[in-house]
Amino acid sequence: MSTQLFSLAGKTALVTGSSRGLGFAIAEGLAAAGARLMLNGVDAARLDASAAALRDKGYTVDAHAFDVCDEAAVVAAFAKLDAAGIAVDILVNNAGVQYRKPMVELATEDWRRVIETNLTSAFVVGREAARRMIPRGRGKVINIGSLTSELARATVAPYTVAKGGIKMLTRAMTAEWAAHNIQANAIGPGYMLTDMNQALIDNPSFDAWVKGRTPAGRWGKPEELIGTAIFLASDASNYVSGQIIYVDGGMVSVL
Ligand code: GCO
């Protein structure tokens, strides 16, 4: 009984920003649990290569190249899925960028770009998914937050604000969609070994700070998000909504 609870067999999952990094790791984990995958990214060549790598492992994978910041492209992508009779059962709003600069030096257009990519896109893609999940009477939305949904660090203000917004967007989705049997939750990764963080990983003093500040004493691995993602994507979480689960080695819980 317990293993069936975590099965994603027969479900279709769309993971935004899944050509690489956390999105790719989560997508692979959902596929391993039985989901049919829809990868997304803006770079079609990179996306096709990632999809091929997962197909080589025996997974069912389609690549859907569109920019989550382009509302018309998002609407068109969902219309294409409608026409193909494909329903998105699980949406993972993972797409995001990082831009590190002190606020007094930050251009407004860079602020807007980070907010658009990391927060507004989750609303737009979530809205299109929910418009189809509501009539079906079920759905799962997993928004990717960050430990910066809870704590601020200097020089990453737009990212922090966007990820804080992701936490509250998740609760807003719950307020409006839980009655339709749609569970919206978030995952808050800690400092993970990803391309986005490579400059930090390569910085000896930052690397030492992360290892000292994180109770687990190390960086996280992208694959360490998979268990939480499967839980939130599966029937095991059918009465869980509005939550953010920090996968952070204990960082947000300890001074
Ligand atoms: C930074 C990092 C963080 C990461 C971290 C927490 O510059 O501090 O990029 O913002 O997102 O992995 O999620």
Side-chain angles (χ1 to χ4, degrees):
M1 189 276 201
S2 59
T3 50
Q4 192 53 33
L5 268 178
F6 293 86
S7 170
L8 303 181
K11 298 288 180 17
T12 296
L14 168 62
V15 184
T16 65
S18 50
S19 298
R20 58 182 175 171
L22 301 186
F24 182 80
I26 288 170
E28 182 169 6
L30 298 181
R36 169 189 177 175
L37 275 188
M38 292 185 195
L39 297 189
N40 161 260
V42 288
D43 180 331
R46 179 189 288 153
L47 192 63
D48 289 342
S50 299
L54 292 179
R55 285 192 204 103
D56 288 350
K57 294 188 176 183
Y59 300 130
T60 304
V61 189
D62 295 315
H64 294 264
F66 60 89
D67 181 352
V68 294
C69 295
D70 177 346
E71 182 167 359
V74 173
V75 171
F78 274 84
K80 197 171 143 194
L81 294 175
D82 294 342
I86 299 171
V88 174
D89 301 299
I90 302 156
L91 168 64
V92 181
N93 277 315
N94 167 77
V97 292
Q98 180 56 286
Y99 188 76
R100 303 181 180 99
K101 196 172 283 280
M103 278 190 276
V104 292
E105 298 166 24
L106 184 64
T108 308
E109 64 264 24
D110 288 320
W111 166 275
R112 287 200 181 98
R113 178 174 55 82
V114 175
I115 298 290
E116 275 291 312
T117 309
N118 294 14
L119 178 57
T120 306
S121 72
F123 157 68
V124 172
V125 180
R127 180 190 63 198
E128 292 308 307
R131 282 175 171 167
R132 291 144 176 94
M133 289 173 174
I134 288 172
R136 286 202 304 271
R138 62 181 173 80
K140 297 282 186 177
V141 178
I142 301 169
N143 298 316
I144 303 302
S146 158
L147 61 81
T148 55
S149 297
E150 210 68 47
L151 300 171
R153 176 173 93 78
T155 75
V156 289
Y159 184 96
T160 301
V161 168
K163 293 301 189 179
I166 282 288
K167 180 172 74 172
M168 295 315 293
L169 174 63
T170 302
R171 295 181 186 175
M173 288 174 167
T174 297
E176 295 190 18
W177 300 344
H180 302 285
N181 192 32
I182 298 167
Q183 292 83 47
N185 290 286
I187 299 174
Y191 278 93
M192 310 302 277
L193 295 167
T194 59
D195 295 347
M196 188 181 81
N197 286 334
Q198 197 57 53
L200 307 178
I201 297 161
D202 294 341
N203 178 321
S205 60
F206 199 97
D207 174 56
W209 174 77
V210 167
K211 289 170 179 169
R213 176 66 181 77
T214 305
R218 64 176 175 83
W219 293 75
K221 294 173 283 205
E223 57 268 29
E224 291 182 296
L225 297 175
I226 291 172
T228 304
I230 291 172
F231 165 62
L232 293 176
S234 71
D235 288 343
S237 59
N238 283 353
Y239 198 55
V240 179
S241 204
Q243 300 304 304
I244 181 164
I245 300 176
Y246 289 99
V247 184
D248 67 348
M251 184 182 264
V252 292
S253 304
V254 173
L255 273 177

